[in-house]
Each structure stands twice: as structure tokens, then as C-alpha cells.
Amino acid sequence: MKKVSTKDSSEESNNEILLEKENFIEMLTHDLKTPIRAQIQALNLLLKDYFGPLNPKQREIIKEIMASNKYMQNMAENVLTNYKIENGRLKIQKTKNDIKLTIENTIENLRFIISQKNQKINVNYKNIIESFAFYDDIEIKRVLTNLIVNASEYSFDNSTIDILVEKENNHFKITVSDTGLGIMNDDVDSIFKKYSTNSKDYRKVGTGLGLYICKAIINAHGGIIKASKPKNGGASFSFTI
């Protein structure tokens, strides 16, 4: 009979605990996402006057609830993506996609968050004729979502978020800029570290996972993501795919 060492038994036990923890997180985030999706669908029906016309005040309140649900949905997705990264399960599936369509769909999905602060998004496709590239559409949308939500959260009401799309050699470079509160850290690269956030300094809600996840996704694509402090204030984030 083969004797199992204490070390092997301990490692097996630790692996089982990690697997149970990962399964719990997956089930938890799934259980969170399901009712959030249902609420978003119901709110969309209300906003489309499916059950009858709404008065302006009702429409305003429903839009606020929608924005909160979209924010919770993004947080749940970030928690799940974080565990995939930690356990080496983040799989990038590159297919041919239209970067213009990816950006437009992301903005449409965030319209209630942006409109809540009466903000607008300006997209500039600088000399872009051919906008197709190979990347994971779902994961790049997640990167764009995190960057745009951050820009909105730390910017003022009635402000503009700028998205610049350029072609650099064989890559697309996408820059999301705002004129909001800016980056407090002197070492701007440190904000990509896990749980690094300025939310407490600015009395905002934040997990510190968004930018960490963005970097992991862009790295997995073989691209680069950088942060900078524009001279006119605010923050700027650029990534390549």
C-alpha cells in the first residue's frame, strides 16, 4: 500500500478548500447576476411604456434604479473575473470584431449611468477607416466598461468623457479621458494594483478591482495599458489591442 505523506495530504486539502471557495464565488456571483438581469429587463419594459405611459418623475426614478442595477451588475462581473484571474481561468477567445461596434454597444449599455449625472461621451475615431481587429469582444467590453464607469464616477455633473481611437502600427490604441478629480497617486502605475483605489479619499464606493482586471485582460491580449495625468486635470487611460 502506498503511503500518503502528510505534505501531500495537506496540499490536497488546501486545493479542495480553494476549489470550494472558487465554486462558492461563482455560485454567489451567478445568483447575484440573475435577479439583477431580471430587474434590468423589467425596468427596460417600464421605460418603453410597455405597461402604460410614465410621468417624468416616474421615468427619472426608474432611470436611477436602472443605473444602480447596471453598477451592481458590473461589480458582480468584476468579482467573478477577479477569481478567474487568480485561479488562471481567464481565457481570452480572440475573434474578428468591429472596434466601433464594441465601443458603441458598451456606451449604449452604460447610458443610464452616464445620464444620471447628465454627462456625455464624445468618441473620436482618428483617421480610422478599417475598424476590424482580433480580440475577445466580451473582455474588451469589460475593460471599456470599467474605464468609462470610473471616468463617470470621478467626474463632475454635466462633464464630457472623451474616447479617442487611433491606429498605431498594427494595433488600435484606445484612450478614455475625463476632466474629473484626477489620480491622487504620484506613482500612476500603482493604481493598477489589486485593491488600489482613491474611492475613500474622494468618498466614493469602489472595490479596487476594476483597473486591476483591466490590466490583466489587456496583458492577456498582448497589449499595454497605461494611466496618465493630463495637464488640464482629470485622468487618462490608454490601452492597445
Side-chain angles (χ1 to χ4, degrees):
M1 180 182 290
K2 184 179 179 182
K3 186 177 180 181
V4 179
S5 70
T6 306
K7 183 179 178 181
D8 290 341
S9 178
S10 176
E11 286 179 356
E12 187 177 337
S13 176
N14 287 336
N15 288 336
E16 287 177 359
I17 292 170
L18 287 172
L19 184 60
E20 286 180 10
K21 184 179 178 182
E22 184 180 344
N23 288 338
F24 171 74
I25 292 296
E26 284 199 67
M27 286 188 292
L28 178 63
T29 52
H30 179 269
D31 289 345
L32 282 171
K33 286 190 294 181
T34 300
I36 291 171
R37 277 202 203 99
Q39 289 180 61
I40 288 172
Q41 289 172 355
L43 291 168
N44 269 321
L45 290 176
L46 288 170
L47 289 170
K48 291 177 181 177
D49 297 326
Y50 190 83
F51 303 106
L54 301 171
N55 64 49
K57 189 62 180 176
Q58 290 171 328
R59 191 171 294 277
E60 181 184 342
I61 291 171
I62 290 173
K63 283 184 177 181
E64 288 182 7
I65 297 171
M66 177 71 89
S68 296
N69 273 272
K70 292 282 188 179
Y71 191 80
M72 285 191 293
Q73 184 182 45
N74 188 50
M75 289 183 72
E77 292 283 359
N78 279 345
V79 170
L80 180 58
T81 303
N82 173 58
Y83 271 83
K84 286 181 179 178
I85 293 167
E86 284 190 335
N87 293 281
R89 291 182 54 196
L90 178 65
K91 306 298 181 185
I92 298 299
Q93 298 181 358
K94 293 184 180 182
T95 56
K96 189 177 182 180
N97 295 289
D98 186 345
I99 193 64
K100 289 184 178 180
L101 191 59
T102 297
I103 291 172
E104 287 165 10
N105 287 342
T106 303
I107 293 172
E108 173 63 20
N109 195 44
L110 296 173
R111 70 188 186 280
F112 295 107
I113 291 177
I114 302 303
S115 64
Q116 193 178 31
K117 298 179 73 173
N118 199 31
Q119 296 167 329
K120 66 178 183 178
I121 297 177
N122 177 50
V123 185
N124 177 15
Y125 297 100
K126 187 177 179 181
N127 300 323
I128 300 296
I129 299 174
E130 177 63 59
S131 59
F132 289 94
F134 284 88
Y135 57 88
D136 189 316
D137 187 57
I138 292 174
E139 298 303 338
I140 293 302
K141 281 179 181 174
R142 197 180 318 286
V143 171
L144 287 165
T145 296
N146 282 325
L147 294 181
I148 294 171
V149 168
N150 265 11
S152 173
E153 182 72 14
Y154 289 97
S155 293
F156 308 105
D157 291 1
N158 306 303
S159 60
T160 299
I161 298 166
D162 291 305
I163 300 177
L164 174 63
V165 184
E166 305 170 273
K167 199 75 180 288
E168 284 192 350
N169 298 321
N170 295 322
H171 297 85
F172 281 105
K173 180 183 178 183
I174 302 167
T175 304
V176 179
S177 304
D178 63 70
T179 55
L181 298 170
I183 302 170
M184 290 191 67
N185 311 46
D186 291 328
D187 178 12
V188 292
D189 291 335
S190 67
I191 63 175
F192 291 106
K193 292 179 181 178
K194 193 175 181 180
Y195 304 129
S196 175
T197 176
N198 289 328
S199 57
K200 289 183 179 179
D201 300 305
Y202 292 130
R203 297 183 180 180
K204 303 286 185 180
V205 177
T207 60
L209 288 176
L211 294 177
Y212 165 77
I213 288 169
C214 287
K215 185 170 184 178
I217 291 171
I218 297 304
N219 284 349
H221 275 83
I224 298 171
I225 185 167
K226 293 181 179 180
S228 62
K229 298 181 180 182
K231 291 180 180 179
N232 61 339
S236 182
F237 294 87
S238 298
F239 67 89
T240 59
I241 53 172

